[in-house]
Amino acid sequence: MKAFVVEKYGKDGVSAADVPEPTVGNRDVLVRVSASSINPLDKMVRNGEFKQLLKYKTPFVLGHDVAGVVTRVGSAVRSVKVGDEVYARPRDLRIGGFAEYIAIAEDDVAPKPASLTLQEAAAVPLVALAAWQILVERARVKPGQKVLIHAGAGGLGSTVIQLAKHLGATVATTTDTRTEELVRSLGADLVIDYTKEDFSKVLSGYDFVLDSLGGANLEKSLTVLKPGGLAIGVAGPPDSGFAKQAGAPGFMGGVMNLLSRKVRKQAKKLGVRYQFFFMEANGSQLRKLGALYDSGKLRPVIDQVFPFDRTLEAMAHVEQGRTKAGKVVVSMVSDGN
């Protein structure tokens, strides 16, 4: 089958290749991929940023989002059948959405939301799971709380804004002039154009901040939190919780804590908290999220759709910051179905 494979770690490490169709275990489903989408995580894995924790063996197929049709099921699979349209974020070490077929653990797949095309559904799994796990499981956002979402027009930010509003929060977001109207339509109550204003000068008393930029932006984000407030970073720096989540040896927790020592020390001084976040595959959560898409509480935001043979171009489009808003989708089909 055709696939886009990481032959070696690094910017030029991905190439088109013919690879064997994946083997299907007892609890796996084989999915004919209709569409996938590009995530910042694809670049990070390609570049080997997590290679001490996520030990992929090159060559491996890249791609963290999948929507498609089940063509085979393992002998122990009960919840999925051949012909079902599904979507998934395959678990770590079993990714491979940039291919014609992928074998996915039954527990990681869910029925595609009926209201979405396969192309639209491919834009959803990673960012929707991240939004759910951040807001519901980690931050436990409650009605009336104040949350700040950075980069609100991005794939993750646009999803988190919608889910935060569904949970009853008051939402502030940063974006630029071009996408101010979009983020308001997604539910943002307060929009800060970062090209004109410094968010840390106008915001205070927030319960939660989601930072996807890291560095100075993360450090400033700590200052808008109320005492006891929580900042979660998805761009780093990682902490010991990530090492534990990845099942790494104990010493790696110490290494991760060293990397995040500066920001954790600053957070402690301000009386707030910092955590690094790395999402996990979860089919049952995708079922809940699918219901939110079908009820109109959530909607995908798609920047552009590239044909499968232009996957490398799609990745470059995202890496070079040419995405105006939302996700970039890679499609095997031309009509979205």
Side-chain angles (χ1 to χ4, degrees):
M1 66 174 184
K2 294 184 175 64
F4 285 87
V5 174
V6 177
E7 302 280 2
K8 63 181 190 299
Y9 286 123
K11 185 172 183 179
D12 300 319
V14 180
S15 57
D18 280 309
V19 299
E21 222 176 82
T23 55
V24 181
N26 290 343
R27 296 186 176 279
D28 294 343
V29 299
L30 185 69
V31 176
R32 186 178 72 245
V33 179
S34 299
S36 184
S37 67
I38 311 295
N39 293 286
L41 186 56
D42 296 313
K43 181 185 94 167
M44 297 165 90
V45 168
R46 179 203 68 193
N47 290 351
E49 291 185 29
F50 299 124
K51 64 183 177 183
Q52 299 302 321
L53 296 175
L54 301 177
K55 297 186 182 296
Y56 288 98
K57 292 178 181 175
T58 56
F60 62 91
V61 182
L62 197 58
H64 289 80
D65 277 322
V66 176
V69 180
V70 176
T71 59
R72 199 187 321 161
V73 300
S75 59
V77 170
R78 298 290 177 265
S79 65
V80 183
K81 65 184 187 303
V82 171
D84 284 354
E85 293 186 332
V86 296
Y87 72 149
R89 190 292 205 190
R91 64 188 59 184
D92 296 316
L93 303 183
R94 295 199 62 186
I95 62 170
F98 301 161
E100 293 181 294
Y101 291 89
I102 181 174
I104 310 173
E106 176 187 16
D107 289 346
D108 296 349
V109 302
K112 175 189 73 68
S115 60
L116 303 183
T117 66
L118 284 160
Q119 287 183 356
E120 290 169 335
V124 167
L126 187 146
V127 292
L129 284 170
W132 183 273
Q133 291 166 18
I134 288 167
L135 295 178
V136 176
E137 297 188 334
R138 288 278 196 99
R140 297 181 181 176
V141 169
K142 302 288 190 297
Q145 287 189 322
K146 292 164 62 177
V147 305
L148 168 61
I149 312 302
H150 284 295
L156 178 60
S158 61
T159 309
V160 178
I161 287 173
Q162 295 176 76
L163 185 57
K165 285 304 294 181
H166 172 66
L167 295 171
T170 297
V171 179
T173 192
T174 56
T175 192
D176 63 17
T177 312
R178 294 177 307 165
T179 50
E180 186 172 337
E181 193 174 319
L182 169 68
V183 296
R184 288 192 191 281
S185 76
L186 296 173
D189 300 289
L190 179 61
V191 180
I192 295 167
D193 184 338
Y194 67 81
T195 66
K196 299 174 181 175
E197 266 187 310
D198 181 343
F199 72 90
S200 66
K201 299 283 194 283
V202 294
L203 302 180
S204 62
Y206 274 67
D207 296 278
F208 172 71
V209 179
L210 174 62
D211 174 73
S212 54
L213 303 170
N217 196 79
L218 171 58
E219 292 178 21
K220 284 202 294 186
S221 294
L222 298 176
T223 68
V224 309
L225 290 167
K226 71 179 189 182
L230 173 65
I232 284 182
V234 295
D239 57 17
S240 61
F242 175 42
K244 186 176 180 182
Q245 178 183 334
F251 77 90
M252 286 301 296
V255 173
M256 298 291 111
N257 270 346
L258 275 176
L259 293 173
S260 57
R261 183 169 176 249
K262 181 184 176 187
V263 68
R264 288 185 300 104
K265 189 175 178 182
Q266 186 185 355
K268 187 175 181 181
K269 186 177 178 182
L270 292 166
V272 301
R273 296 168 292 147
Y274 166 74
Q275 295 174 6
F276 176 70
F277 173 80
F278 194 85
M279 60 80 57
E280 295 181 305
N282 191 309
S284 63
Q285 289 177 358
L286 279 177
R287 287 173 182 266
K288 294 175 186 174
L289 286 156
L292 293 177
Y293 281 93
D294 283 341
S295 68
K297 302 291 185 187
L298 301 177
R299 65 180 171 92
V301 178
I302 294 176
D303 174 78
Q304 198 168 329
V305 179
F306 285 79
F308 176 66
D309 61 4
R310 290 169 59 198
T311 295
L312 294 180
E313 190 180 331
M315 288 186 70
H317 180 88
V318 174
E319 278 186 62
Q320 293 163 10
R322 288 187 277 151
T323 309
K324 294 183 183 70
K327 296 291 294 291
V328 168
V329 171
V330 172
S331 180
M332 294 284 193
V333 292
S334 58
D335 60 359
N337 291 299

